Amino acid sequence: MSQPEVTVVIPVYNEEAGLQALFDRLYPALDALGKSYEILFVNDGSRDRSAGMLAAQFEKRPDVTRVILLNGNFGQHRAILAGFENANGLRIVTMDADLQNPPEDVGTLLAEMDKGHDYVGSIRRQRNDSMWRHVASRAMNHLREKLTKIKMTDQGCMLRAYDRRIIDLINQCAEMHTFIPALAYSFSQNPTEVIVGHEERHAGESKYSLYSLIRLNFDLMTGFSIVPLQAFSMLGMVISFFSALLVLVLIARRIFVGPEVGGLFTLFAIAFFLIGITLFGIGILGEYIGRIYHEVRQRPRYLISAILEKKDQE
């Protein structure tokens, strides 16, 4: 297979109910672009019939289809990294398999790259998520931008396009935990964003729970900024200063007014508040230490059991 102009990387995890609908829309949309392309499906340890359906689709369109079968479930971002390391295209597009990202919008991203942009993010025109996910996403977007200085209007949309140079730089990174759009943004020289559609999930349920979303944002903030550590250092100094003032006030009160009978519960409240802040700060520190722990073990980010692809004829 000669080097295609575009590689579309799609991580798949337990998506058997919607895969056929994805096939029916994705291939015609890419055929209509008039560009050479390959579709690289990465099966992330699915426990349903997804792997079999991907293998069957490879048999139907082996000229433009490749399938990576991972030996277990490693998570969406590691599955995408596996796709990046095996992608052949000059431009790489990522998208989800649940059809919330319309395949027809791939052409919109590539048109922006034709204008000279090396990284094209996406903004969902109208989100069809639940209210709590919409509000939580906006709050985390704002917090992430303040902490990391990385400006992404909609960090939750995986429909994005990357130049080959950026993909090669990402492949050189050996981080166990990362957030691919933010990493690509930090390598980009001329990024931009476009508005794309957003549809309801065609079938199945979202693989991201509330806990998963919280973990993802912790990875984002601790992977690209030490501001949380610096903030707690400053907070510790401020609390120490006011605690010293409180001790001086209590000493002066005892000398000039006498022992204080009341106020015991107020002191308890202050103590519990300070203990809560301390534990939260230890948790932030633990996040960074945990990242160091995972990195120094140098375990592989994923394991590939097989790759289905058409070999060039010599």
Side-chain angles (χ1 to χ4, degrees), residues 32-97:
L33 295 177
K35 301 178 182 292
S36 60
Y37 70 89
E38 66 174 2
I39 303 174
L40 185 52
F41 295 102
V42 184
N43 181 57
D44 189 23
S46 297
R47 295 188 297 270
D48 59 4
R49 295 175 50 249
S50 295
M53 295 180 68
L54 294 176
Q57 183 62 26
F58 166 72
E59 294 296 333
K60 292 180 181 178
R61 294 290 304 269
D63 54 326
V64 293
T65 305
R66 299 169 65 205
V67 180
I68 297 177
L69 303 174
L70 298 185
N71 186 27
N73 177 236
F74 296 92
Q76 181 189 45
H77 284 261
R78 294 193 194 183
I80 292 176
L81 289 173
F84 282 174
E85 291 193 1
N86 290 275
N88 296 319
L90 296 174
R91 297 170 177 176
I92 288 81
V93 176
T94 60
M95 63 180 294
D96 291 330

Side-chain angles (χ1 to χ4, degrees), residues 30-289:
L30 296 180
D31 289 337
L33 295 177
K35 301 178 182 292
S36 60
Y37 70 89
E38 66 174 2
I39 303 174
L40 185 52
F41 295 102
V42 184
N43 181 57
D44 189 23
S46 297
R47 295 188 297 270
D48 59 4
R49 295 175 50 249
S50 295
M53 295 180 68
L54 294 176
Q57 183 62 26
F58 166 72
E59 294 296 333
K60 292 180 181 178
R61 294 290 304 269
D63 54 326
V64 293
T65 305
R66 299 169 65 205
V67 180
I68 297 177
L69 303 174
L70 298 185
N71 186 27
N73 177 236
F74 296 92
Q76 181 189 45
H77 284 261
R78 294 193 194 183
I80 292 176
L81 289 173
F84 282 174
E85 291 193 1
N86 290 275
N88 296 319
L90 296 174
R91 297 170 177 176
I92 288 81
V93 176
T94 60
M95 63 180 294
D96 291 330
D98 56 13
L99 280 179
Q100 287 189 311
N101 304 144
E104 295 78 12
D105 282 336
V106 171
T108 303
L109 274 65
L110 297 178
E112 287 299 314
M113 298 198 79
D114 289 338
K115 298 177 183 178
H117 299 289
D118 57 356
Y119 167 76
V120 183
S122 57
I123 306 170
R124 287 169 283 193
R125 183 180 296 110
Q126 179 180 354
R127 294 190 57 176
N128 292 301
D129 289 329
S130 61
M131 179 59 67
W132 77 265
R133 289 197 64 171
H134 184 66
V135 173
S137 178
R138 293 191 61 178
M140 294 310 300
N141 281 350
H142 181 73
L143 179 60
R144 181 258 313 144
E145 183 172 336
K146 291 295 183 182
L147 292 179
T148 66
K149 307 303 180 184
I150 294 175
K151 297 182 179 180
M152 290 186 294
T153 305
D154 188 354
Q155 72 180 38
C157 186
M158 289 306 296
L159 182 59
R160 299 174 184 273
Y162 309 88
D163 183 74
R164 182 79 243 179
R165 180 187 67 85
I166 292 178
I167 296 301
D168 290 340
L169 289 172
I170 291 176
N171 288 339
Q172 293 177 27
C173 300
E175 303 172 36
M176 290 292 293
H177 302 282
T178 191
F179 187 75
I180 292 171
L183 188 61
Y185 184 93
S186 66
F187 293 145
S188 175
Q189 296 176 341
N190 187 20
T192 189
E193 294 181 325
V194 296
I195 297 176
V196 297
H198 185 240
E199 303 175 4
E200 293 185 4
R201 167 178 274 274
H202 179 78
E205 298 179 353
S206 174
K207 307 305 184 296
Y208 273 105
S209 63
L210 176 59
Y211 174 77
S212 298
L213 293 173
I214 293 174
R215 288 296 321 150
L216 183 63
N217 281 281
F218 264 118
D219 285 342
L220 174 58
M221 288 185 289
T222 58
F224 293 89
S225 175
I226 60 171
V227 170
L229 289 177
Q230 295 170 334
F232 268 94
S233 296
M234 296 299 297
L235 181 61
M237 287 186 286
V238 170
I239 291 177
S240 297
F241 174 74
F242 282 105
S243 296
L245 285 182
L246 178 60
V247 170
L248 293 176
V249 169
L250 292 177
I251 292 175
R253 178 182 177 85
R254 184 175 183 86
I255 294 173
F256 296 104
V257 179
E260 182 181 7
V261 177
L264 182 61
F265 289 103
T266 301
L267 292 178
F268 276 152
I270 294 174
F272 290 149
F273 173 71
L274 296 179
I275 291 172
I277 291 179
T278 302
L279 292 176
F280 187 56
I282 292 174
I284 294 293
L285 183 61
E287 286 291 327
Y288 284 93
I289 295 175

